[in-house]
Amino acid sequence: MSLRLKRDSQIFKSWKIGHKRFKKSTRQTAHTITKMQKQVVIFVLFAILASVIAETCGGNCPGGRCKSCPCGTSRAPVNIAAECAKWSGVNRACCECIAKHESGGNAHAMNGNSNGSIDVGLWQVNSMNWASCNGGRAPCDVASNLKCAMQVWQWGHHSFKGWSTCGACGCCSKGLGSGNSTSNAMEN
C-alpha cells in the first residue's frame, strides 16, 4: 500500500506540475492571442485610413466622392486675398468669401458631385466648364482656375450666383458681383 500511495503521490505531483504548466501556457496563449488581435486591429485601422486617404485625394476631396484626383494628393494653400486682388472689376469681399467657402484656400481642393462632375481649385470650377475655359483640362493651378472662375462669373451676368456658396456670402445678387467694395459681402 505504501508503494501505491507513493505512486499516487507522484502522479498527483506530476498532475499538479502539468496543471501549472497548462495554466501558464493557457495564459501565454491568451496573451499571445490578445497581442495578435491588437496587431490585426491596428492593421485593419491602417488599411481603412489608407483607403480613406485614397478616396479623399490626400485630404483635397474631404467629401470622399472624388473618383479621381486631377489636382493631385498634396495641398496647395494660397493667400485668397492676394488672388482675389488679381481679379479686377469684382467685389473682393465676395471673391474672398466664395473662395474661402468653396476651397478653404486650397488651390488643389476637389469635390465630387452627385451627377458625376467634379469641382476643382480655389473657386471650385465644375468639370462641365473645363472645355470652355481650360481646353478640357482640370484648372488646378491658381491662374487657370481664376481664368475659369472669371468666365463662370461672366456667364452669371457678372455675379457669383453660379456658386452654391453665394448665399452664405451674401453675394448672389448681380450688384454684388462687381466693384471693389468690401462692405457688400459678409466677411467669414
Side-chain angles (χ1 to χ4, degrees):
M1 199 170 220
S2 70
L3 185 60
R4 187 172 181 194
L5 278 173
K6 191 173 183 181
R7 189 178 53 147
D8 286 347
S9 175
Q10 286 175 340
I11 291 172
F12 179 73
K13 283 180 184 177
S14 294
W15 177 83
K16 198 172 177 182
I17 291 169
H19 181 68
K20 283 182 180 179
R21 285 182 184 153
F22 175 76
K23 281 177 68 177
K24 185 177 179 182
S25 73
T26 304
R27 277 194 306 263
Q28 287 175 339
T29 303
H31 177 72
T32 303
I33 290 172
T34 303
K35 194 174 183 180
M36 286 175 60
Q37 288 172 338
K38 287 179 185 176
Q39 290 173 341
V40 167
V41 168
I42 289 170
F43 176 77
V44 168
L45 288 175
F46 276 122
I48 291 170
L49 179 63
S51 172
V52 167
I53 288 172
E55 289 177 6
T56 64
C57 297
N60 288 335
C61 183
R65 297 183 303 197
C66 297
K67 294 177 183 170
S68 65
C69 304
C71 294
T73 57
S74 62
R75 292 184 51 81
V78 298
N79 181 328
I80 295 172
E83 297 306 324
C84 285
K86 296 174 185 175
W87 191 344
S88 63
V90 71
N91 181 300
R92 285 195 189 151
C94 283
C95 177
E96 291 175 28
C97 185
I98 296 286
K100 182 179 178 184
H101 277 80
E102 292 287 339
S103 66
N106 177 10
H108 290 170
M110 295 173 269
N111 180 52
N113 299 306
S114 59
N115 66 358
S117 67
I118 186 169
D119 303 328
V120 301
L122 198 57
W123 289 280
Q124 292 293 278
V125 176
N126 188 276
S127 56
M128 291 187 221
N129 299 314
W130 298 354
S132 300
C133 69
N134 201 41
R137 295 176 313 280
C140 297
D141 65 281
V142 180
S144 62
N145 199 261
L146 174 62
K147 178 183 158 202
C148 287
M150 287 176 166
Q151 286 187 348
V152 172
W153 180 76
Q154 288 170 350
W155 296 332
H157 304 286
H158 299 269
S159 75
F160 285 102
K161 66 183 177 184
W163 282 267
S164 63
T165 55
C166 71
C169 294
C171 298
C172 294
S173 299
K174 182 179 178 186
L176 293 179
S178 59
N180 288 326
S181 168
T182 58
S183 61
N184 291 331
M186 295 180 356
E187 293 189 27
N188 293 336

